Amino acid sequence: MGKKGDLRNFEHGMVVGARRAGLSISQSAQLLGFSRTTISRVYKEWCEKGKTSSMRQSCGRKCLVDARGQRRMGRLIQADRRATLTEITTRYNRDMQQSICEATTHTTLRRVGNNAEDPTGYHSSPLQIGKKRL
């Protein structure tokens, strides 16, 4: 059984639709597989605000490196293509208030797309150079 915050927008719509169709809270809960409390809260929120919200988009681990930090990391790599992961992390942390570890740097570089080879076949990314570089 899903809690109110775990429901997707589609599921919120199913709850509101079932209640608007005339089903009771118990019938809606049985039909949709949610708790009666969830049905009641979603429908009450819809009646009061005219919309329902989901907390699903705010769950999960927050990114330590935002879009601005990704651009900055890209500039650090462009400045020195032969830098190791440790060197990139050290340079990134130099002017930042919140420092990151090498694993976060590695994840960010993979997300940004700096793990692809050059068309010439030369490994241009610190992630591709091997164990010494990674």
Side-chain angles (χ1 to χ4, degrees):
M1 291 200 196
K3 296 192 175 212
K4 179 183 169 290
D6 292 336
L7 302 181
R8 297 181 311 227
N9 288 336
F10 179 75
E11 292 166 333
H12 281 271
M14 287 177 20
V15 169
V16 171
R19 292 289 289 136
R20 296 280 294 166
L23 293 178
S24 68
I25 293 174
S26 297
Q27 290 170 333
S28 300
Q30 185 178 16
L31 176 70
L32 300 174
F34 304 130
S35 69
R36 291 183 310 189
T37 304
T38 300
I39 301 290
S40 176
R41 287 180 181 167
V42 168
Y43 189 67
K44 179 181 176 186
E45 182 181 5
W46 183 80
C47 288
E48 290 175 357
K49 297 180 182 176
K51 64 177 184 172
T52 60
S53 61
S54 174
M55 297 302 288
R56 178 66 76 177
Q57 61 269 28
S58 64
C59 70
R61 184 180 170 107
K62 305 294 182 250
C63 289
L64 294 174
V65 181
D66 57 356
R68 182 174 169 237
Q70 289 177 1
R71 289 192 305 270
R72 181 169 186 261
M73 197 170 289
R75 287 192 301 271
L76 289 172
I77 292 170
Q78 286 177 352
D80 185 8
R81 288 271 189 195
R82 312 276 296 159
T84 63
L85 206 53
T86 306
E87 292 169 348
I88 293 169
T89 305
T90 305
R91 290 176 190 157
Y92 181 86
N93 288 336
R94 195 173 295 153
D95 298 325
M96 301 301 284
Q97 288 180 336
Q98 184 177 14
S99 62
I100 60 172
C101 64
E102 288 182 25
T104 304
T105 303
H106 184 236
T107 304
T108 303
L109 291 175
R110 292 175 104 192
R111 189 180 320 126
V112 170
N114 283 334
N115 61 345
E117 290 185 30
D118 273 349
T120 61
Y122 175 74
H123 299 287
S124 62
S125 170
L127 301 179
Q128 296 267 326
I129 307 268
K131 290 195 179 227
K132 188 172 183 182
R133 297 269 183 211
L134 181 55

